[in-house]
mmCIF file of all heavy atoms in Angstrom:
data_model
loop_
_atom_site.group_PDB
_atom_site.id
_atom_site.type_symbol
_atom_site.label_atom_id
_atom_site.label_comp_id
_atom_site.label_asym_id
_atom_site.label_seq_id
_atom_site.Cartn_x
_atom_site.Cartn_y
_atom_site.Cartn_z
ATOM 1 N N ALA A 331 122.506 115.235 87.538
ATOM 2 C CA ALA A 331 122.105 116.119 88.641
ATOM 3 C C ALA A 331 122.897 115.812 89.909
ATOM 4 O O ALA A 331 123.305 116.724 90.636
ATOM 5 C CB ALA A 331 120.608 115.966 88.895
ATOM 6 N N LEU A 332 123.124 114.518 90.168
ATOM 7 C CA LEU A 332 123.882 114.116 91.369
ATOM 8 C C LEU A 332 125.314 114.657 91.306
ATOM 9 O O LEU A 332 125.832 115.201 92.295
ATOM 10 C CB LEU A 332 123.896 112.582 91.475
ATOM 11 C CG LEU A 332 124.567 111.994 92.715
ATOM 12 C CD1 LEU A 332 123.794 112.363 93.976
ATOM 13 C CD2 LEU A 332 124.660 110.467 92.601
ATOM 14 N N LEU A 333 125.942 114.529 90.130
ATOM 15 C CA LEU A 333 127.304 115.066 89.964
ATOM 16 C C LEU A 333 127.330 116.562 90.246
ATOM 17 O O LEU A 333 128.209 117.064 90.947
ATOM 18 C CB LEU A 333 127.795 114.810 88.531
ATOM 19 C CG LEU A 333 128.371 113.436 88.199
ATOM 20 C CD1 LEU A 333 128.628 113.334 86.700
ATOM 21 C CD2 LEU A 333 129.666 113.183 88.951
ATOM 22 N N ARG A 334 126.344 117.285 89.693
ATOM 23 C CA ARG A 334 126.352 118.748 89.853
ATOM 24 C C ARG A 334 126.148 119.135 91.321
ATOM 25 O O ARG A 334 126.802 120.035 91.831
ATOM 26 C CB ARG A 334 125.294 119.402 88.952
ATOM 27 C CG ARG A 334 125.522 120.905 88.756
ATOM 28 C CD ARG A 334 124.551 121.508 87.768
ATOM 29 N NE ARG A 334 124.776 121.081 86.415
ATOM 30 C CZ ARG A 334 125.687 121.617 85.594
ATOM 31 N NH1 ARG A 334 126.458 122.603 86.016
ATOM 32 N NH2 ARG A 334 125.832 121.162 84.377
ATOM 33 N N ILE A 335 125.237 118.433 92.008
ATOM 34 C CA ILE A 335 125.005 118.740 93.438
ATOM 35 C C ILE A 335 126.290 118.498 94.239
ATOM 36 O O ILE A 335 126.717 119.326 95.044
ATOM 37 C CB ILE A 335 123.859 117.849 93.992
ATOM 38 C CG1 ILE A 335 122.514 118.270 93.402
ATOM 39 C CG2 ILE A 335 123.829 117.887 95.520
ATOM 40 C CD1 ILE A 335 121.845 119.437 94.070
ATOM 41 N N LEU A 336 126.931 117.335 94.022
ATOM 42 C CA LEU A 336 128.095 116.969 94.843
ATOM 43 C C LEU A 336 129.328 117.795 94.484
ATOM 44 O O LEU A 336 130.121 118.149 95.354
ATOM 45 C CB LEU A 336 128.399 115.476 94.701
ATOM 46 C CG LEU A 336 127.319 114.525 95.240
ATOM 47 C CD1 LEU A 336 127.729 113.086 95.015
ATOM 48 C CD2 LEU A 336 127.050 114.759 96.713
ATOM 49 N N TYR A 337 129.508 118.115 93.187
ATOM 50 C CA TYR A 337 130.743 118.772 92.746
ATOM 51 C C TYR A 337 130.639 120.292 92.767
ATOM 52 O O TYR A 337 131.643 120.979 92.886
ATOM 53 C CB TYR A 337 131.111 118.310 91.327
ATOM 54 C CG TYR A 337 131.767 116.949 91.269
ATOM 55 C CD1 TYR A 337 131.158 115.832 91.811
ATOM 56 C CD2 TYR A 337 133.015 116.773 90.677
ATOM 57 C CE1 TYR A 337 131.742 114.592 91.760
ATOM 58 C CE2 TYR A 337 133.618 115.527 90.615
ATOM 59 C CZ TYR A 337 132.977 114.436 91.165
ATOM 60 O OH TYR A 337 133.572 113.195 91.113
ATOM 61 N N VAL A 338 129.417 120.829 92.611
ATOM 62 C CA VAL A 338 129.260 122.288 92.532
ATOM 63 C C VAL A 338 128.743 122.860 93.859
ATOM 64 O O VAL A 338 129.223 123.875 94.332
ATOM 65 C CB VAL A 338 128.305 122.679 91.376
ATOM 66 C CG1 VAL A 338 128.064 124.191 91.350
ATOM 67 C CG2 VAL A 338 128.879 122.224 90.044
ATOM 68 N N VAL A 339 127.749 122.185 94.464
ATOM 69 C CA VAL A 339 127.110 122.724 95.677
ATOM 70 C C VAL A 339 127.849 122.275 96.937
ATOM 71 O O VAL A 339 128.037 123.045 97.868
ATOM 72 C CB VAL A 339 125.632 122.274 95.753
ATOM 73 C CG1 VAL A 339 124.934 122.925 96.939
ATOM 74 C CG2 VAL A 339 124.906 122.629 94.472
ATOM 75 N N LEU A 340 128.248 121.009 96.977
ATOM 76 C CA LEU A 340 128.761 120.440 98.232
ATOM 77 C C LEU A 340 130.225 119.988 98.188
ATOM 78 O O LEU A 340 130.588 119.034 98.895
ATOM 79 C CB LEU A 340 127.881 119.233 98.643
ATOM 80 C CG LEU A 340 126.379 119.517 98.774
ATOM 81 C CD1 LEU A 340 125.614 118.233 98.985
ATOM 82 C CD2 LEU A 340 126.121 120.491 99.921
ATOM 83 N N PRO A 341 131.096 120.633 97.391
ATOM 84 C CA PRO A 341 132.495 120.185 97.443
ATOM 85 C C PRO A 341 133.107 120.425 98.819
ATOM 86 O O PRO A 341 133.982 119.682 99.267
ATOM 87 C CB PRO A 341 133.190 121.026 96.365
ATOM 88 C CG PRO A 341 132.336 122.227 96.198
ATOM 89 C CD PRO A 341 130.929 121.769 96.461
ATOM 90 N N GLY A 342 132.589 121.443 99.545
ATOM 91 C CA GLY A 342 133.105 121.718 100.887
ATOM 92 C C GLY A 342 132.692 120.670 101.915
ATOM 93 O O GLY A 342 133.221 120.632 103.021
ATOM 94 N N LEU A 343 131.729 119.815 101.533
ATOM 95 C CA LEU A 343 131.258 118.761 102.454
ATOM 96 C C LEU A 343 131.830 117.399 102.077
ATOM 97 O O LEU A 343 131.308 116.375 102.502
ATOM 98 C CB LEU A 343 129.724 118.654 102.367
ATOM 99 C CG LEU A 343 128.868 119.471 103.319
ATOM 100 C CD1 LEU A 343 127.423 119.018 103.194
ATOM 101 C CD2 LEU A 343 129.316 119.297 104.757
ATOM 102 N N ARG A 344 132.874 117.399 101.235
ATOM 103 C CA ARG A 344 133.355 116.131 100.676
ATOM 104 C C ARG A 344 133.638 115.090 101.753
ATOM 105 O O ARG A 344 133.311 113.919 101.597
ATOM 106 C CB ARG A 344 134.630 116.413 99.864
ATOM 107 C CG ARG A 344 135.169 115.203 99.132
ATOM 108 C CD ARG A 344 136.306 115.605 98.210
ATOM 109 N NE ARG A 344 135.885 116.647 97.270
ATOM 110 C CZ ARG A 344 136.727 117.319 96.494
ATOM 111 N NH1 ARG A 344 138.021 117.107 96.571
ATOM 112 N NH2 ARG A 344 136.286 118.232 95.657
ATOM 113 N N TRP A 345 134.206 115.505 102.877
ATOM 114 C CA TRP A 345 134.582 114.527 103.914
ATOM 115 C C TRP A 345 133.347 113.957 104.596
ATOM 116 O O TRP A 345 133.412 112.917 105.234
ATOM 117 C CB TRP A 345 135.515 115.180 104.942
ATOM 118 C CG TRP A 345 136.735 115.703 104.265
ATOM 119 C CD1 TRP A 345 137.099 117.008 104.119
ATOM 120 C CD2 TRP A 345 137.727 114.931 103.572
ATOM 121 N NE1 TRP A 345 138.254 117.110 103.386
ATOM 122 C CE2 TRP A 345 138.665 115.848 103.029
ATOM 123 C CE3 TRP A 345 137.913 113.575 103.326
ATOM 124 C CZ2 TRP A 345 139.773 115.447 102.285
ATOM 125 C CZ3 TRP A 345 139.017 113.173 102.587
ATOM 126 C CH2 TRP A 345 139.926 114.103 102.071
ATOM 127 N N ASP A 346 132.219 114.641 104.452
ATOM 128 C CA ASP A 346 130.984 114.121 105.042
ATOM 129 C C ASP A 346 130.260 113.166 104.080
ATOM 130 O O ASP A 346 129.746 112.134 104.502
ATOM 131 C CB ASP A 346 130.042 115.277 105.406
ATOM 132 C CG ASP A 346 130.608 116.118 106.538
ATOM 133 O OD1 ASP A 346 130.753 115.580 107.638
ATOM 134 O OD2 ASP A 346 130.924 117.293 106.308
ATOM 135 N N TRP A 347 130.184 113.538 102.775
ATOM 136 C CA TRP A 347 129.380 112.693 101.886
ATOM 137 C C TRP A 347 130.146 111.517 101.285
ATOM 138 O O TRP A 347 129.531 110.516 100.908
ATOM 139 C CB TRP A 347 128.668 113.508 100.816
ATOM 140 C CG TRP A 347 129.456 114.301 99.796
ATOM 141 C CD1 TRP A 347 129.569 115.651 99.741
ATOM 142 C CD2 TRP A 347 130.175 113.811 98.645
ATOM 143 N NE1 TRP A 347 130.320 116.049 98.661
ATOM 144 C CE2 TRP A 347 130.702 114.939 97.958
ATOM 145 C CE3 TRP A 347 130.427 112.545 98.118
ATOM 146 C CZ2 TRP A 347 131.456 114.832 96.797
ATOM 147 C CZ3 TRP A 347 131.188 112.429 96.955
ATOM 148 C CH2 TRP A 347 131.691 113.578 96.310
ATOM 149 N N ARG A 348 131.471 111.605 101.203
ATOM 150 C CA ARG A 348 132.203 110.493 100.577
ATOM 151 C C ARG A 348 132.042 109.160 101.315
ATOM 152 O O ARG A 348 131.762 108.136 100.678
ATOM 153 C CB ARG A 348 133.690 110.842 100.439
ATOM 154 C CG ARG A 348 134.008 111.514 99.117
ATOM 155 C CD ARG A 348 135.481 111.565 98.822
ATOM 156 N NE ARG A 348 135.948 110.359 98.157
ATOM 157 C CZ ARG A 348 137.198 110.176 97.726
ATOM 158 N NH1 ARG A 348 138.085 111.123 97.886
ATOM 159 N NH2 ARG A 348 137.556 109.072 97.135
ATOM 160 N N PRO A 349 132.188 109.110 102.662
ATOM 161 C CA PRO A 349 132.023 107.810 103.340
ATOM 162 C C PRO A 349 130.632 107.202 103.128
ATOM 163 O O PRO A 349 130.499 105.988 102.936
ATOM 164 C CB PRO A 349 132.250 108.145 104.821
ATOM 165 C CG PRO A 349 132.955 109.452 104.830
ATOM 166 C CD PRO A 349 132.558 110.178 103.592
ATOM 167 N N VAL A 350 129.606 108.071 103.122
ATOM 168 C CA VAL A 350 128.241 107.575 102.908
ATOM 169 C C VAL A 350 128.120 106.999 101.501
ATOM 170 O O VAL A 350 127.550 105.921 101.293
ATOM 171 C CB VAL A 350 127.221 108.723 103.117
ATOM 172 C CG1 VAL A 350 125.809 108.240 102.847
ATOM 173 C CG2 VAL A 350 127.331 109.281 104.522
ATOM 174 N N MET A 351 128.675 107.716 100.517
ATOM 175 C CA MET A 351 128.600 107.248 99.131
ATOM 176 C C MET A 351 129.408 105.961 98.926
ATOM 177 O O MET A 351 129.040 105.120 98.113
ATOM 178 C CB MET A 351 129.092 108.345 98.169
ATOM 179 C CG MET A 351 128.151 109.512 98.083
ATOM 180 S SD MET A 351 126.509 108.985 97.629
ATOM 181 C CE MET A 351 126.145 110.039 96.335
ATOM 182 N N TRP A 352 130.492 105.823 99.647
ATOM 183 C CA TRP A 352 131.253 104.568 99.615
ATOM 184 C C TRP A 352 130.322 103.410 99.989
ATOM 185 O O TRP A 352 130.256 102.391 99.279
ATOM 186 C CB TRP A 352 132.400 104.623 100.632
ATOM 187 C CG TRP A 352 133.704 105.087 100.096
ATOM 188 C CD1 TRP A 352 134.002 106.332 99.655
ATOM 189 C CD2 TRP A 352 134.904 104.311 99.960
ATOM 190 N NE1 TRP A 352 135.313 106.397 99.261
ATOM 191 C CE2 TRP A 352 135.887 105.171 99.435
ATOM 192 C CE3 TRP A 352 135.242 102.990 100.234
ATOM 193 C CZ2 TRP A 352 137.190 104.750 99.176
ATOM 194 C CZ3 TRP A 352 136.534 102.567 99.978
ATOM 195 C CH2 TRP A 352 137.489 103.440 99.450
ATOM 196 N N ALA A 353 129.639 103.577 101.118
ATOM 197 C CA ALA A 353 128.756 102.507 101.609
ATOM 198 C C ALA A 353 127.649 102.211 100.590
ATOM 199 O O ALA A 353 127.363 101.041 100.278
ATOM 200 C CB ALA A 353 128.150 102.911 102.951
ATOM 201 N N VAL A 354 127.034 103.288 100.043
ATOM 202 C CA VAL A 354 125.940 103.100 99.072
ATOM 203 C C VAL A 354 126.456 102.371 97.831
ATOM 204 O O VAL A 354 125.826 101.436 97.316
ATOM 205 C CB VAL A 354 125.324 104.469 98.688
ATOM 206 C CG1 VAL A 354 124.349 104.311 97.521
ATOM 207 C CG2 VAL A 354 124.612 105.075 99.881
ATOM 208 N N ALA A 355 127.644 102.783 97.334
ATOM 209 C CA ALA A 355 128.199 102.154 96.119
ATOM 210 C C ALA A 355 128.475 100.674 96.352
ATOM 211 O O ALA A 355 128.171 99.827 95.494
ATOM 212 C CB ALA A 355 129.478 102.874 95.695
ATOM 213 N N ILE A 356 129.032 100.332 97.514
ATOM 214 C CA ILE A 356 129.388 98.929 97.788
ATOM 215 C C ILE A 356 128.131 98.059 97.860
ATOM 216 O O ILE A 356 128.043 97.012 97.202
ATOM 217 C CB ILE A 356 130.220 98.825 99.094
ATOM 218 C CG1 ILE A 356 131.629 99.398 98.849
ATOM 219 C CG2 ILE A 356 130.321 97.376 99.572
ATOM 220 C CD1 ILE A 356 132.457 99.574 100.111
ATOM 221 N N VAL A 357 127.117 98.495 98.643
ATOM 222 C CA VAL A 357 125.912 97.655 98.757
ATOM 223 C C VAL A 357 125.140 97.615 97.437
ATOM 224 O O VAL A 357 124.496 96.612 97.118
ATOM 225 C CB VAL A 357 124.983 98.108 99.913
ATOM 226 C CG1 VAL A 357 125.653 97.914 101.254
ATOM 227 C CG2 VAL A 357 124.502 99.532 99.738
#
Side-chain angles (χ1 to χ4, degrees):
L332 184 66
L333 278 173
R334 197 175 291 278
I335 290 278
L336 295 179
Y337 281 56
V338 176
V339 185
L340 305 172
L343 268 190
R344 185 172 304 169
W345 302 113
D346 293 296
W347 62 251
R348 270 194 87 177
V350 178
M351 290 305 230
W352 267 68
V354 171
I356 288 170
V357 294

